Amino acid sequence: MDSVGVAAAAAPDAGPGPAWQSKCPWGAPNTTSISCSLADVMSEQLAKELQLEEENAAFPEVVAVAEGPFITGENIDTSSDLMLAQMLQMEFDREYDAQLRREEKKINGDSKVSISFENYRKVHPYDSDSSEDEVDWQDTRHDPYRADKPTTTPRRGFIGKGKDITTKHDEVVCGRKNTARMENFAPEFQVGDGIGMDLKLSNQVFNALKQHAYSEERRSARLHEKKEHSTAEKAVDPKTRLLLYKMVNAGMLETITGCISTGKESVVFHAYGGKSATEDKVIPPECAIKVFKTTLNEFKNRDKYIKDDYRFKDRFSKLNPRKIIRMWAEKEMHNLTRMQNAGIPCPQVVILKKHVLVMSFIGKDQIPAPKLKDVTLGSEDMKKAYYQTLNMMQQLYRECNLVHADLSEYNMLWHDGKVWLIDVSQSVEPTHPHGLEFLFRDCRNVAQFFQKGGVAEALNERELFNAVSGLNITADNEVDFQAEIEALEKMNEDHVQNHGKKLSTFSSDGDPPIYDE
Ligand code: ADP
Ligand code: MN
């Protein structure tokens, strides 16, 4: 076997890979894997620390949480008329295209020869919801917005013959040329319809306009930079905004007040629930909206949760990155539903739309419940919290058939005198190839937190692992314990290999339908 063959065989993950990798305009992702321990990948604490460091360096100023309504029924972020216009335009274009398609169908009927209105379509394929495949910005199809330029004199400086000759200094030609040159101003610069009309602009006026346009351009660049650094702007792209706006418009949400948290993989907003007439379920008075970020960098690390999860295994390989991110949202929804059914205190799923998950808000009056790491509990409450956590871990494992896989004081909220579990997009079933390792890590976090918090009764990580899993691993030190866990996982994997896959189904969960187009 040649060396290429060996390399390919040794690193199955670095094989030809999905098509999007080779098509990606940023080039294929670097597949030389950086070696890091499972603990590193899993550690939310480490992630938070790294992120804080990064953010402090990039954005020294902390952006205040919830500065006024973000999106409301009457005004969707009127601070940005441009955004509003873009969203309305997008909607309009989509409807226009749908109409075109209907016309096309009507005209063509069963005829063997058909005509196409393709060139009249408005929505750029990138923005089209119906196109599930990623279309890159290089797409150079007819741009319906491009105005036809008025004719100007060629380079040689004159046109015509004999006494009909006109030079480039001709007032009329020059005026038209000036008008045409306005096209080079920044796109935000309002030049009116002059370009399309036969407008002649004197040199003086043109120069004044040019000066103004350039200073405007610099100003808007500064503004843009500022905006980029604000939490909300970083959080959502126009498509997500439109999605949120639609939820408000449909009456599902009353107001989106602002951002509660921006993490590496998600941004969470607070919203007041609306009185949706169409859905038969009651919408909680306050909601949390978790928007899974559609930039992929941070998700690469987490592939292993989903890739090895048999529930998603078959689908994973065929998906484009955007769909994979939707899958995280979907996973969180399914996991929350299982937990809800088992009576574990956790957010209740309201609706899932693409990469946006709406759930009930844990907290009150826009103030989210504090994380366990941020709250100071008296010793009685601490003890209560511990026993409740132990109970929930057992329920999660036995009744929901789940391992949280990111359980720590960062993902437990203290609300109404009890602990609430959140952030379960990465949760897996215990039979996941790394499920027991994940559980052990959860146990370590929980044991350490409560032991440090002074709960004398708190089991150590190994005792906790056995108590939750019902297994009886007897190793009395961490290294041996870990080794036994891995041996068990291997045994289970071999079993799966030999006896075929487990049946993959969500149907037994009683999960709500996915409200996705
Ligand atoms: P991640 O840690 O992946 O960014 P989380 O689901 O943990 O995402 O959400 C981030 C933060 O947002 C949480 O720590 C919590 O403070 C807040 N949060 C998330 N969901 C809710 C909710 N349903 N109610 C109240 N606060 C929430
Ligand atoms: Mn979290």
Side-chain angles (χ1 to χ4, degrees):
M1 199 191 274
D2 61 11
S3 60
V4 177
V6 171
D13 282 340
W20 60 268
Q21 283 188 354
S22 50
K23 268 196 291 186
C24 178
W26 297 277
N30 191 357
T31 43
T32 43
S33 58
I34 305 155
S35 75
C36 68
S37 73
L38 177 65
D40 284 349
V41 175
M42 303 286 306
S43 169
E44 172 146 350
Q45 187 161 358
L46 181 72
K48 282 267 142 77
E49 279 166 15
L50 288 174
Q51 190 199 335
L52 258 182
E53 249 172 52
E54 215 171 80
E55 277 177 358
N56 286 343
F59 320 111
E61 238 171 284
V62 176
V63 186
V65 169
E67 318 153 329
F70 180 62
I71 295 181
T72 69
E74 309 85 56
N75 77 346
I76 33 159
D77 195 2
T78 44
S79 67
S80 174
D81 289 343
L82 180 66
M83 173 64 71
L84 177 61
Q86 278 171 343
M87 293 199 308
L88 290 173
Q89 184 72 46
M90 220 152 111
E91 256 316 72
F92 172 80
D93 291 349
R94 204 165 284 152
E95 276 163 29
Y96 177 86
D97 285 348
Q99 179 65 26
L100 264 189
R101 269 192 292 273
R102 279 194 294 273
E103 294 280 333
E104 217 173 76
K105 221 168 158 186
K106 205 167 98 190
I107 291 174
N108 289 329
D110 297 330
S111 168
K112 287 201 177 98
V113 184
S114 63
I115 61 153
S116 162
F117 290 153
E118 184 62 23
N119 288 345
Y120 296 95
R121 276 165 52 88
K122 290 232 182 238
V123 181
H124 189 282
Y126 179 78
D127 291 327
S128 165
D129 256 352
S130 51
S131 123
E132 284 293 21
D133 298 320
E134 303 281 335
V135 180
D136 291 329
W137 51 269
Q138 291 100 326
D139 190 288
T140 50
R141 257 187 265 189
H142 172 69
D143 175 4
Y145 299 107
R146 186 182 296 151
D148 290 329
K149 288 179 195 169
T151 45
T152 52
T153 37
R155 279 234 172 270
R156 67 178 188 268
F158 63 90
I159 45 171
K161 272 182 187 161
K163 65 176 171 34
D164 290 333
I165 202 164
T166 44
T167 72
K168 63 182 172 188
H169 301 296
D170 178 89
E171 204 182 322
V172 174
V173 173
C174 204
R176 285 190 181 136
K177 213 158 87 186
N178 282 343
T179 306
R181 278 154 74 189
M182 289 200 306
E183 260 200 298
N184 297 332
F185 294 170
E188 297 81 16
F189 192 77
Q190 303 300 318
V191 292
D193 279 340
I195 294 168
M197 300 185 315
D198 188 20
L199 181 77
K200 290 145 224 123
L201 216 61
S202 79
N203 283 349
Q204 202 186 352
V205 172
F206 174 76
N207 284 333
L209 268 176
K210 189 171 86 177
Q211 206 48 50
H212 184 58
Y214 287 172
S215 57
E216 271 296 288
E217 206 178 323
R218 280 200 303 275
R219 196 178 75 89
S220 88
R222 278 199 304 275
L223 271 179
H224 180 71
E225 200 169 41
K226 239 169 140 181
K227 266 191 171 176
E228 288 278 87
H229 285 195
S230 85
T231 320
E233 287 297 324
K234 256 197 299 173
V236 293
D237 52 282
K239 282 181 99 175
T240 308
R241 248 180 213 232
L242 189 58
L243 224 102
L244 295 177
Y245 173 58
K246 277 185 183 168
M247 289 181 184
V248 174
N249 219 17
M252 203 163 5
L253 299 175
E254 181 72 36
T255 318
I256 301 176
T257 61
C259 177
I260 309 169
S261 144
T262 79
K264 286 208 159 189
E265 293 118 0
S266 71
V267 184
V268 180
F269 294 96
H270 170 274
Y272 285 108
K275 300 174 268 296
S276 171
T278 45
E279 314 285 341
D280 48 347
K281 64 166 88 175
V282 182
I283 294 170
E286 289 184 79
C287 297
I289 308 170
K290 188 165 177 178
V291 177
F292 289 75
K293 281 195 185 171
T294 44
T295 48
L296 288 148
N297 323 352
E298 307 311 329
F299 278 96
K300 271 195 296 199
N301 268 350
R302 312 187 94 197
D303 277 5
K304 66 183 321 168
Y305 290 88
I306 232 169
K307 217 160 48 187
D308 295 337
D309 188 329
Y310 75 88
R311 294 180 295 171
F312 294 87
K313 220 168 194 161
D314 291 338
R315 297 160 64 191
F316 190 80
S317 58
K318 302 185 195 100
L319 294 173
N320 68 34
R322 193 176 292 170
K323 283 191 192 159
I324 291 171
I325 283 168
R326 287 189 197 175
M327 226 145 85
W328 285 102
E330 194 186 316
K331 222 176 150 205
E332 175 129 33
M333 176 194 73
H334 286 297
N335 292 340
L336 281 175
T337 307
R338 284 194 196 186
M339 291 160 71
Q340 195 75 42
N341 290 343
I344 295 173
C346 69
Q348 192 181 351
V349 173
V350 176
I351 198 169
L352 171 74
K353 279 233 178 226
K354 297 187 173 160
H355 58 291
V356 174
L357 179 67
V358 182
M359 55 191 144
S360 64
F361 179 72
I362 313 301
K364 204 168 168 27
D365 297 333
Q366 291 189 42
I367 301 169
K371 299 180 184 77
L372 224 45
K373 79 164 182 81
D374 291 327
V375 78
T376 322
L377 296 181
S379 60
E380 270 311 297
D381 272 344
M382 197 68 175
K383 199 166 125 182
K384 200 169 123 190
Y386 166 71
Y387 279 112
Q388 198 209 328
T389 305
L390 170 62
N391 243 311
M392 287 195 296
M393 289 178 82
Q394 289 175 327
Q395 270 182 296
L396 196 61
Y397 191 93
R398 292 168 198 183
E399 291 168 42
C400 309
N401 197 31
L402 284 176
V403 170
H404 187 290
D406 197 5
L407 191 64
S408 74
E409 58 275 27
Y410 285 77
N411 283 328
M412 294 192 262
L413 306 183
W414 183 252
H415 179 63
D416 267 354
K418 60 183 173 192
V419 179
W420 297 65
L421 297 188
I422 59 162
D423 202 359
V424 290
S425 62
Q426 74 294 315
S427 302
V428 296
E429 299 201 342
T431 49
H432 181 287
H434 301 290
L436 295 181
E437 287 167 84
F438 294 159
L439 177 63
F440 190 46
R441 222 192 81 88
D442 285 355
C443 290
R444 189 186 304 140
N445 291 337
V446 168
Q448 276 175 8
F449 176 76
F450 285 105
Q451 280 173 346
K452 275 187 197 153
V455 179
E457 297 89 339
L459 299 175
N460 72 34
E461 63 215 40
R462 282 163 278 131
E463 293 163 339
L464 185 58
F465 179 93
N466 283 336
V468 170
S469 66
L471 295 166
N472 188 22
I473 299 181
T474 48
D476 60 356
N477 66 79
E478 186 165 339
V479 177
D480 291 347
F481 204 91
Q482 188 97 33
E484 279 197 48
I485 285 175
E486 280 165 32
L488 273 176
E489 285 177 340
K490 181 151 190 326
M491 236 167 68
N492 181 53
E493 267 302 278
D494 293 344
H495 178 82
V496 172
Q497 294 288 323
N498 297 334
H499 299 268
K501 267 181 286 189
K502 278 179 73 170
L503 274 177
S504 155
T505 172
F506 285 127
S507 55
S508 60
D509 296 351
D511 285 321
I514 303 165
Y515 299 97
D516 206 353
E517 287 128 272

